[in-house]
Structures are given as structure tokens and as C-alpha cells.
């Protein structure tokens, strides 16, 4: 495992990593499959934290958009939001910068074993990807087949093709074989849990 | 004024623009100074909407981060957040993509006439800028001197210098002259209200 150093010379060890390293001593397999109960979002947040700490990329999940209606300001306490509503996001969930490139992506899970249903996406996400691609952004989805424990980085360009063709072809999902052909498989690792930047490199080189 | 067309061939006219055009017929000066009552955030949101519609850039303000504690799901009605708290943001407010470049910025107003107080910034914003600059992001602040009705795009690199030197120099603010020297002044316009991409071009060329 590579040692990570902060600019101040201190070694950086995320809490999760410490726990994982202790676990490694116990049983190696337990660690590699330790992510099974972890939601994709948590795995990506931890991976992004690692990428930031090691100065490899700056990527964040955007906050959930909320329309705030009523706020209370109790004395000597912090403001409490008393009434608010979830809003429809206009964009995808993740974006950031990696070696001068703009990254933009969405993360999705499925329990299906053979295909990924397109109904997991929304028109506004497709539109957002199209706009970002026009600006030469690197756009993709990270799809996790939970039952298979397989992860793919899949180009937004391919997603858009399937999205636009679903009416004419009647195909409401993307086959696993298509992920194997046009996507880039990501193997779970210890640090970061989801080393997706390797797949981003492949996408850029492609 | 340039006509904007959507890919479907329809002409795009934002509501604000329609209102402004009507106003133009009444009195030109009223329009150019019509933004006086408009907060910088609204002006930037409208400008970003224009830049997206005209396919010049894809930039959004990030949602306010909120920690949601309690949600009610009334029958036949949408979910209501009943208890939530404001969280400290980890990043700056705006980011996006422009011609393959990653843009990252913060917007700030001041009523001061001669300088901009550094206390308007937080350590986490400075850290975030530093990380993004390492990844070759285009990082800056848009500062509005409200009393002077002057707007500047000011490079994050300069802000970081002033931030780090404030203890040793004792200068807790950045002088207007410094904005004039190291920043790029943005003139208010009709469409978009804040044509900051011109200043971004200058920053990149610099």
C-alpha cells in the first residue's frame, strides 16, 4: 500500500483505512468483500476523499437540493429548518476536476443480473450529460450490479445512444454484455475502494 | 442582441430577457442599472442559465448542504422535511465546464468602497481552491463592490497570497487597487447580465 503524505509531511491514514488494515491482519477475503454491505454512494464518497487527500482529483457529490420554506432561530442554538421540500436536481450527482479535465458522473445500482434498466435515469440527467459533452467534459455513469458484485464505468455517449433509441428499438435496458463491450470494468480495491480514475484514464485514451 | 436558438430551432428567450427588452423600449438607462436591486447570486444564476441555453458553458450554483433529520410522508402529498440543519459547505459555491476547462468560483459582495475584507472567506474555501488549482482548474472569485457598482473576476492564486500573508502583513483586506491591477473588471450587460466568461478568457490568456 502506498504511503500518502500531506504537504505538512504527516502521513495520512483515513479512519476507514485503519479499520481495513486491522481487518487485513484478520482475514484478507473479509476485507476485499467487506464492501458488500456498503452502498455505492458511501464507497464513492470514501474513494473521493482518498483521491482528494492524495491530491489525485477533486470530486464531490453535490448536496441534495432542498427548497427551504421555514427556519427557526432558537436562542443560543443553531438555526433549525422546520419546513422544506426535496427538489428535482438539474444535474448529475458528482462532478469535479482531474488533471485539467472536468469530470461529471452519476452512480447507479441494480439488483438485476443481466441488464440495467434505463428507467434509473431521467431526462434532465441525459440533457445535462449532452451539454457537458459539448463542452468537452468527461461524462460517464458508474453502474454497480449488486448481485454480481461487478462495477463498470460506462460512457455517457453510449448511455445517450441507448436512451434515444429506446422508443424505436423497444429496449428499455442496457445488456450486461454492452457494459462489458463499451464500459470499463472497475475492480474493488482496498485504497480507494473504487479506483475509478483508472477507468477514467481508459475512457480518455479510448 | 444575438438570437439564440435551441437545437429544435426555436428561438430561446429567457423570461428575464423579455422583461428587459420591454424595459429597453421604455428607458435604456433603467435597464443597465436595473440590476441594482438584484443580488449577485441571482445575477449569476441568470447568467449561467443564459450560458447553458446558448451552449457556451455548463455552470451551476451548488445546492446549500443540509443535514436532514426528520421527514414526513403525508398521504397523497410529497415528502415534507420537518427537521434539518445547515451544514458547513466543503467547497465553493459554483463549478462547471467551459470549453474543456473546469471552472470553480465563489461570489461575494461588499458595501465597502476601498477594499474587500478577507473575513468574507473561509479556510475551507481557500483549501478547496488550492486543491483545484493543483488539478489545473480555473479558480477565481467574482467580487461585487455594491456601492461602486463595480464587478471583478479576481484570480484564486492572488486571493491565496493575500490570505496566507494576512498574519504577517496585518492586511485583513484586499485593496480596490489590487482588484484593478490583478483582477479583470466585468461590465454589466443585458444578456447575460454578468458576462464573466470574457473575463475567464482573459484569466486563461494571462
Amino acid at each position: 500500500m502506498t504511503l500518502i503524505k500531506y504537504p505538512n509531511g504527516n502521513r495520512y491514514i483515513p479512519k476507514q483505512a485503519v479499520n481495513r488494515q486491522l481487518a487485513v491482519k484478520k482475514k484478507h477475503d473479509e476485507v476485499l468483500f467487506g464492501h458488500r454491505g456498503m452502498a455505492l454512494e458511501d464507497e464513492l464518497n470514501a474513494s473521493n476523499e482518498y483521491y482528494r487527500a492524495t491530491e489525485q482529483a477533486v470530486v464531490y457529490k453535490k448536496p441534495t437540493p432542498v427548497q427551504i420554506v421555514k427556519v427557526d432561530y432558537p436562542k443560543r442554538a443553531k438555526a433549525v429548518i422546520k419546513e422544506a421540500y426535496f427538489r428535482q436536481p438539474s444535474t448529475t450527482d458528482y462532478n469535479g476536476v482531474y488533471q485539467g479535465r472536468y469530470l461529471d458522473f452519476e452512480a447507479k445500482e441494480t439488483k438485476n443480473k443481466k441488464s440495467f434498466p434505463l428507467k434509473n435515469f431521467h431526462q434532465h440527467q441525459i440533457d445535462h450529460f449532452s451539454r457537458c459533452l459539448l463542452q468537452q467534459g468527461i461524462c460517464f455513469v458508474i453502474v454497480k450490479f449488486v448481485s454480481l458484485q461487478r462495477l463498470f464505468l460506462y460512457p455517457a455517449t453510449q448511455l445517450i445512444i441507448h436512451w434515444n433509441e429506446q422508443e424505436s428499438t423497444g429496449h428499455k435496458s442496457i445488456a450486461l454484455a454492452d457494459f462489458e463491450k463499451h464500459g470499463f470494468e472497475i475492480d474493488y480495491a482496498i485504497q480507494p475502494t473504487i479506483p475509478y480514475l483508472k477507468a477514467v484514464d481508459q475512457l480518455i485514451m479510448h
Side-chain angles (χ1 to χ4, degrees), chain A:
Chain A
M1 200 184 301
T2 324
L3 292 188
I4 314 141
K5 286 189 188 262
Y6 264 136
N8 61 10
N10 289 344
R11 186 176 156 195
Y12 170 80
I13 311 173
K15 272 183 204 152
Q16 306 96 307
V18 175
N19 295 338
R20 276 193 215 108
Q21 282 178 45
L22 293 173
V24 168
K25 286 177 192 156
K26 279 168 68 184
K27 197 178 166 196
H28 187 248
D29 277 7
E30 249 180 55
V31 180
L32 282 178
F33 298 100
H35 51 79
R36 270 190 176 157
M38 206 178 179
L40 180 58
E41 182 182 323
D42 294 329
E43 294 169 344
L44 281 170
N45 287 345
S47 303
N48 286 334
E49 195 185 326
Y50 174 85
Y51 280 140
R52 284 195 301 273
T54 54
E55 298 181 347
Q56 292 183 75
V58 184
V59 177
Y60 282 92
K61 182 175 187 294
K62 289 184 195 167
T64 306
V66 156
Q67 190 187 1
I68 297 163
V69 176
K70 196 180 154 202
V71 184
D72 270 12
Y73 300 91
K75 278 181 192 168
R76 294 164 193 269
K78 59 180 178 177
V80 190
I81 299 163
K82 287 291 193 184
E83 186 186 348
Y85 298 90
F86 293 102
R87 282 185 313 168
Q88 171 88 329
S90 325
T91 67
T92 46
D93 271 355
Y94 300 84
N95 76 354
V97 60
Y98 166 57
Q99 295 184 357
R101 311 272 191 160
Y102 172 78
L103 303 187
D104 197 295
F105 61 99
E106 190 66 35
K108 299 282 184 190
E109 290 175 293
T110 183
K111 286 177 182 167
N112 287 17
K113 291 180 181 172
K114 293 183 177 168
S115 68
F116 187 81
L118 283 163
K119 69 172 193 287
N120 282 286
F121 293 98
H122 300 283
Q123 187 64 49
H124 74 264
Q125 294 166 330
I126 303 292
D127 293 342
H128 177 72
F129 275 145
S130 303
R131 287 194 200 101
C132 291
L133 285 167
L134 261 180
Q135 294 298 325
Q136 300 145 57
I138 309 295
C139 305
F140 53 90
V141 290
I142 292 179
V143 169
K144 180 177 181 174
F145 287 88
V146 180
S147 318
L148 309 175
Q149 281 293 306
R150 292 182 73 182
L151 257 184
F152 294 90
L153 180 150
Y154 188 76
T157 47
Q158 286 294 323
L159 171 66
I160 293 168
I161 290 171
H162 285 283
W163 182 267
N164 291 336
E165 285 178 353
Q166 61 182 318
E167 290 307 322
S168 54
T169 62
H171 295 153
K172 302 291 186 192
S173 63
I174 305 172
L176 175 62
D178 199 293
F179 284 91
E180 291 171 333
K181 187 178 174 188
H182 295 291
F184 302 93
E185 188 152 9
I186 304 168
D187 292 326
Y188 273 99
I190 293 177
Q191 222 175 216
T193 312
I194 300 184
Y196 70 86
L197 287 181
K198 285 184 200 173
V200 168
D201 288 336
Q202 290 176 288
L203 175 63
I204 293 169
M205 299 283 279
H206 194 66

